[in-house]
Structures are given as C-alpha cells and as structure tokens.
C-alpha cells in the first residue's frame, strides 16, 4: 500500500516536472522571438550590451512572454486587433524593465516613435512570427514578411546608428547577430515541437505561484532601472496608465469560450525545416541587399526616413484605431440586441 502511494506521488511529481518543461519550451520560444525583434531588428545596440545587462534581459523577456501567453489564453483575443493590443502590452512593459535607457530618453518623442512605434510594431511582427512558425502550415505570408522585414532591417541598421551619433554597424556584424538570432529561434522551435506534445492552451495560464514570480521579477527589474536613473517619474506614470488602458481593452473583449490566436499552435507543430531555411535565407538576402544600397535621397527623404515615418505613424495610430474599432463593434452589438 505504501509502495503504491509512493509510486503515485513520484508519478505525479514527474508529470508536473514534464509539463513545466513543455510550458517553458513554448514561453522560451516566444521570448526569443521578442528579444530578436527588440534587440536585433530594432538594433538596441546589442554589440555594446555588457554581460550583466544580458543577465537582466533574459528573465525580462521570459517573464513578458509568459504574461502574453497567459493573456492570450485568459482573454482569448482572436484577431489582428487583439494581437496589436498584446504587442502594446509587451512594448509598454519592456520600456520600463528591459530597454528604458533607449525608449524613454527623449520623451515625448520616443514614446511615440519607439515605445508605441518601433517596439510595438516589432512586437506584433514577432507574435506573428511565433504563430507562423508553430502552426505547421505552409504560409506564403511568412515568406513575403521575411522579405519585407529583412529589407527594412538592412536599411535601418545601415543608416540609423550613423544618423544618431552611434558607431557604424558593419554588414558582417549585422549578419552575425541576425544568423545567431535566427539559429536560436530555430533551435527553440524544434525543441518545443519535440517537448510540447500533449500540451493544452490552459497549461500556458500562469498559476498564482507563477504570477507571484512574475510580479517579483518585474518589481526587481523595475527597481534596478530606477536605481540606474533611466526612468523618469512622469514617464513611469504615463506608461503605467497606457498599460492599464491596454489591459482594460483585453479584459473588455475577453471571453470564456471561443477561438483564440493560439488555436492550432498548441501543441507546437513546427513548419518544415526546408521552409524555415528558405524563409531565413530570404530574410538575410533582403537584409544584405537593403544594407548594400547607396543612400537614395529625394529632398530630405531617404531610406531611413521612410522606416522612421512608418514607426511614427504606427505609434500614433494603433491604439486609437483599436479603440475606435472596439467602440464601433460594441455599438453594433447593442443595435443588434435591440438595446438602442
């Protein structure tokens, strides 16, 4: 009898550990994608990052990816607008605990161009990349996206550091970080594909203990950033208010049943290796081509101006657009229900 109880306890402990391993593999995959977007594609000077800074970034990205996956399961966003709000939650949170030195240094301009703009847009793209890699389907949009994002990446890395008084980034350096990032994402993808069998979306919800770990980690990172003097009090309050608004949108649209963005993606079914290699090759080729182009100037406009304008336009537009669409949808529901 005692042996049977011990065997049951050991089996239960093994099951919990195995499930934790599966959940962590999915969270780590999304964390790597988010880090690739904010560190390499936006180029937050990964070359100049000291080792101690990377020790803060790794838990930061992992915690934020865990929160995004929990919110996706908890509130069940199912469309583009839901993905945009999730990306906004990510970029706003990251601006306080991951990259405040670069995102909050010239407010209010950088709030629009970097926090709500560049990092939010790349966050949305990396959520899209996560979904494109884990559904096991052949998606032509992935290949098109790799070309577009790769070209923008090459132009941005070529011209942005120079125009902002930073050291020029060589093509070799850009490619080394790009290949390393893609390699890590690819390895994490196929590891998650092997280990996530049997995983359900509900497994990605954070437990009370998990939320306590998230809160403690974010609090520690925030205190460290405050001690570093890179967060202004007014900026912190504004970011928190925007975070509350974004969370409120997710809560307002939340449902207890129905489809979610993760349908067909959990457990992870990786896309084919050859398709992944082709996508990575197109991304790098587009980056090399765009980086190698000479400066094409039309008046005061050149390659970098177009990308900066896109970041600014996105930063100004996504939250008002989502709010407007949600308002219209709520109004139409009221009409259809005969309450107006």
């Amino acid at each position: 009898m005692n042996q049977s109880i011990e065997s049951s306890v050991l089996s239960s402990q093994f099951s919990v550990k195995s499930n934790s391993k599966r959940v962590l593999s999915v969270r780590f995959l999304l964390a790597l994608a988010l880090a690739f977007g904010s560190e390499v594609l936006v180029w937050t000077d990964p070359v100049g990052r000291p080792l101690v800074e990377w020790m803060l970034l790794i838990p930061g990205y992992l915690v934020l990816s865990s929160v995004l996956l929990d919110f996706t399961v908890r509130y069940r966003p199912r469309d583009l607008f839901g993905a945009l709000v999730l990306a906004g939650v990510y970029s706003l949170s990251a601006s306080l605990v991951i990259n405040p030195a670069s995102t909050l240094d010239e407010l209010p301009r950088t709030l629009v161009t970097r926090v709500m703009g560049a990092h939010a847009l790349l966050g949305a793209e990396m959520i899209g990349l996560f979904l494109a890699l884990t559904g096991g389907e052949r998606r032509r949009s992935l290949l098109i996206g790799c070309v577009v994002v790769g070209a923008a990446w090459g132009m941005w890395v070529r011209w942005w550091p120079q125009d902002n008084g930073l050291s020029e980034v060589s093509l070799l350096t850009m490619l080394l970080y790009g290949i390393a990032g893609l390699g890590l994402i690819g390895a994490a993808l196929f590891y998650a594909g092997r280990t996530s069998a049997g995983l359900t979306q509900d497994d990605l919800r954070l437990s009370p203990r998990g939320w306590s770990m998230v809160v403690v980690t974010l609090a520690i990172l925030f205190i460290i950033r405050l001690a570093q003097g890179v967060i202004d009090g007014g900026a912190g309050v504004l970011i928190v208010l925007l975070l509350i608004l974004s969370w409120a949108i997710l809560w307002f649209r939340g449902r207890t049943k129905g489809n979610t963005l993760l349908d067909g993606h959990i457990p992870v079914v990786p896309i084919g290796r050859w398709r992944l290699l082709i996508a990575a090759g197109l991304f790098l080729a587009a980056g090399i081509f765009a980086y190698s182009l000479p400066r094409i100037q039309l008046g005061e406009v050149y390659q970098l101006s177009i990308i900066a304008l896109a970041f600014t336009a996105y930063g100004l537009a996504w939250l008002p657009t989502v709010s407007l669409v949600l308002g219209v949808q709520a109004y139409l529901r009221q009409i259809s229900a005969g309450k107006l």
Side-chain angles (χ1 to χ4, degrees):
M1 182 70 170
N2 289 336
Q3 290 180 345
S4 176
I5 294 174
E6 290 177 359
S7 175
S8 177
V9 170
L10 289 174
S11 176
S12 176
Q13 290 177 341
F14 178 79
S15 176
V16 170
K17 289 181 180 179
S18 177
N19 197 56
S20 298
K21 182 179 179 181
R22 292 195 291 264
V23 170
L24 186 60
S25 70
V26 177
R27 291 172 176 167
F28 194 62
L29 172 59
L30 179 58
L32 281 174
L34 294 173
F36 184 69
S38 287
E39 299 298 324
V40 178
L41 299 185
V42 178
W43 199 260
T44 317
D45 193 22
V47 179
R49 294 272 198 193
L51 180 60
V52 66
E53 186 69 15
W54 283 106
M55 298 304 293
L56 298 177
L57 297 182
I58 293 172
Y61 281 114
L62 184 57
V63 162
L64 292 184
S65 77
S66 301
V67 171
L68 292 188
L69 290 169
D70 176 275
F71 280 4
T72 305
V73 177
R74 186 178 303 273
Y75 300 116
R76 311 187 76 81
R78 61 192 182 279
D79 53 20
L80 173 63
F81 300 109
L84 296 184
V85 179
L86 286 172
V89 170
Y90 158 72
S91 64
L92 289 164
S93 302
S95 70
L96 290 177
V97 298
I98 294 182
N99 289 313
S102 62
T103 56
L104 304 178
D105 60 335
E106 295 181 30
L107 293 175
R109 180 181 65 84
T110 52
L111 174 64
V112 174
T113 60
R114 297 180 189 177
V115 180
M116 303 291 284
H119 288 278
L121 177 58
L122 267 298
E125 291 176 358
M126 292 304 102
I127 291 173
L129 175 65
F130 173 84
L131 296 176
L133 295 179
T134 56
E137 301 176 9
R138 294 188 173 186
R139 296 177 181 271
R140 185 174 299 177
S141 58
L142 173 63
L143 302 182
I144 297 173
C146 285
V147 173
V148 174
V149 175
W153 175 55
M155 290 185 284
W156 182 259
V157 176
R158 174 67 178 88
W159 300 109
W160 182 79
Q162 289 187 33
D163 282 24
N164 285 270
L166 303 176
S167 300
E168 180 180 351
V169 180
S170 69
L171 177 60
L172 178 60
T173 299
M174 184 187 84
L175 288 177
L176 285 175
Y177 276 87
I179 293 171
L182 293 175
L184 288 173
I185 291 173
L189 171 65
F190 290 108
Y191 177 75
R194 290 196 301 270
T195 60
S196 67
L199 197 67
T200 66
Q201 292 189 36
D202 284 337
D203 293 326
L204 297 176
R205 291 185 65 153
L206 288 163
S207 64
R209 181 183 177 185
W211 271 114
S212 65
M213 294 176 64
V214 165
V215 171
V216 169
T217 302
L218 291 177
I220 292 173
L221 291 174
F222 183 68
I223 291 170
I224 291 173
R225 298 311 187 190
L226 283 176
Q228 293 173 337
V230 293
I231 299 179
D232 175 77
V237 171
L238 179 58
I239 294 296
V240 169
L241 290 175
L242 289 171
L243 264 173
I244 293 174
L245 175 59
S246 299
W247 169 80
I249 291 174
L250 288 173
W251 176 83
F252 177 77
R253 301 190 76 205
R255 300 163 298 135
T256 57
K257 296 181 180 180
N259 58 327
T260 78
L261 290 171
L262 294 176
D263 288 351
H265 301 275
I266 302 298
V268 170
V269 180
I271 66 171
R273 285 179 170 81
W274 282 110
R275 193 166 185 82
L276 181 63
L277 288 174
I278 292 171
L282 288 173
F283 170 80
L284 294 172
I288 293 171
F289 174 78
Y291 182 98
S292 304
L293 288 174
R295 186 180 180 115
I296 304 173
Q297 189 98 25
L298 295 174
E300 296 184 357
V301 177
Y302 70 110
Q303 293 102 308
L304 183 64
S305 306
I306 298 173
I307 301 174
L309 179 62
F311 285 156
T312 302
Y314 183 84
L316 289 170
W318 75 263
L319 187 54
T321 300
V322 169
S323 302
L324 177 62
V325 169
L326 293 183
V328 171
Q329 289 178 346
Y331 178 75
L332 293 176
R333 283 197 299 269
Q334 292 290 323
I335 292 177
S336 63
K339 295 182 180 181
L340 289 179

